[in-house]
Amino acid sequence: MNQHERFSDDQVETWRRDGGVLIERFFTSDEVAAVHDDMVTVFGRDRGADRAQVDTPPENMGAFRDEQFATFASVPFDCSPALNLIGVHPELIRFARTVLETERVHLYQCQAWAKYTGDADYDQPLHPDFRNHTLTVPSEDARRNSVAILCYFTDVTEAHGPMHYVTRPDSAPHAGPEDSLVDDADLQRRLAPFERSSASPAGSVFAYGIDVFHRGTNLTEPGGHRFAVMVCFKRAGDDAIAYRAWPYHHTQPWNLVFEHATPDQLSCFGVQPPGDPFWTEVTLARAAARYPAWDLTPYRDALGR
């Protein structure tokens, strides 16, 4: 792998084969530091309690609790461009295009997730994500699903709540994603021996499919915190997969995204790229009125050709 590339062909192949791949140090130390600072701005702290909260009986595999998601927020954020644009980092876009085998990808989920020791018991049962990403079921063709990417902006050890997962080849003999539709303790016991950890240094990412079994684990490090960003891409035009309706949240500071993103990054939010027939003198004037500091030069230049 070229030293300037963020991922390799082997890692892409691992994603296709296993349904998930851990890529260590995907982001640079400067990118990590900037996003970490922004997350402190957004969530107000970078330290948890001295003692973990433990609600899960040892014989169980965890549960979903509202408090697990109390420090969970969606783009755009009232902070610098670092956190606002990390979900459309050019190399994340390139990875999504590569694994989904398409040039046109849309971002349909981008959320910052802070976890702190003692705020919650973060242990969850093993589950796939398809139930809140599609109204149907995962396709047998992974390219017709989506790619979810969990990005870490703190060092994550086993004491910092890493995601655990089961590869597709390991889970297939025991359960398909449809088996998760029933709350089955036996399913958890069958899959537990195959769990792997995504614990890794700050700047690492774990990419996985919506059919892959995974779960959150608890933070036990005294004073510990875990900063992560969840990013999900799908093929543009695939209406069967969704999570957020970006325009619904129009009262949030979208100008912070539009003023700093490239046309390619904005296209991942569904904004028409330069040269699209949508762009006319009228729509350009309207866009300038809505986002006065948005540099529309690439769109104007394309219209003039």
Side-chain angles (χ1 to χ4, degrees), residues 218-241:
N218 205 9
L219 271 77
T220 58
E221 178 71 17
H225 72 291
R226 193 202 79 175
F227 285 168
V229 174
M230 176 61 73
V231 181
C232 297
F233 288 96
K234 65 176 182 177
R235 286 186 166 204
D238 185 353
D239 293 334
I241 294 176

Side-chain angles (χ1 to χ4, degrees), residues 33-115:
V35 171
H36 187 281
D37 287 349
D38 274 353
M39 292 192 73
V40 174
T41 297
V42 171
F43 296 107
R45 57 193 169 113
D46 62 357
R47 181 175 175 81
D50 290 334
R51 300 184 67 177
Q53 182 178 148
V54 181
D55 299 327
T56 304
E59 66 273 15
N60 292 345
M61 188 65 84
F64 296 107
R65 302 177 175 88
D66 289 344
E67 56 266 31
Q68 294 173 351
F69 304 93
T71 43
F72 192 65
S74 290
V75 70
F77 310 99
D78 192 6
C79 60
S80 88
L83 178 56
N84 276 295
L85 296 183
I86 199 66
V88 283
H89 190 288
E91 285 298 293
L92 284 182
I93 296 173
R94 188 169 74 88
F95 181 81
R97 286 172 170 160
T98 300
V99 297
L100 297 178
E101 297 184 23
T102 182
E103 280 301 305
R104 295 186 63 239
V105 295
H106 277 184
L107 182 78
Y108 70 96
Q109 183 179 0
C110 184
Q111 291 161 317
W113 198 352
K115 293 185 176 183

Side-chain angles (χ1 to χ4, degrees), residues 121-148:
D121 182 342
Y122 294 101
D123 266 322
Q124 297 174 338
L126 287 162
H127 63 281
D129 278 346
F130 75 91
R131 283 181 290 181
N132 63 343
H133 289 239
T134 179
L135 291 176
T136 57
V137 294
S139 171
E140 292 183 272
D141 182 348
R143 298 170 301 177
R144 296 180 62 86
N145 292 323
S146 66
V147 56

Side-chain angles (χ1 to χ4, degrees), residues 208-269:
Y208 63 101
I210 58 173
D211 61 324
V212 171
F213 284 93
H214 64 283
R215 71 183 186 94
T217 64
N218 205 9
L219 271 77
T220 58
E221 178 71 17
H225 72 291
R226 193 202 79 175
F227 285 168
V229 174
M230 176 61 73
V231 181
C232 297
F233 288 96
K234 65 176 182 177
R235 286 186 166 204
D238 185 353
D239 293 334
I241 294 176
Y243 189 91
R244 300 284 289 189
W246 301 122
Y248 181 78
H249 302 276
H250 62 92
T251 59
Q252 296 181 33
W254 280 106
N255 63 296
L256 296 175
V257 173
F258 278 79
E259 291 167 9
H260 299 281
T262 66
D264 196 39
Q265 289 174 315
L266 289 173
S267 73
C268 291
F269 288 99

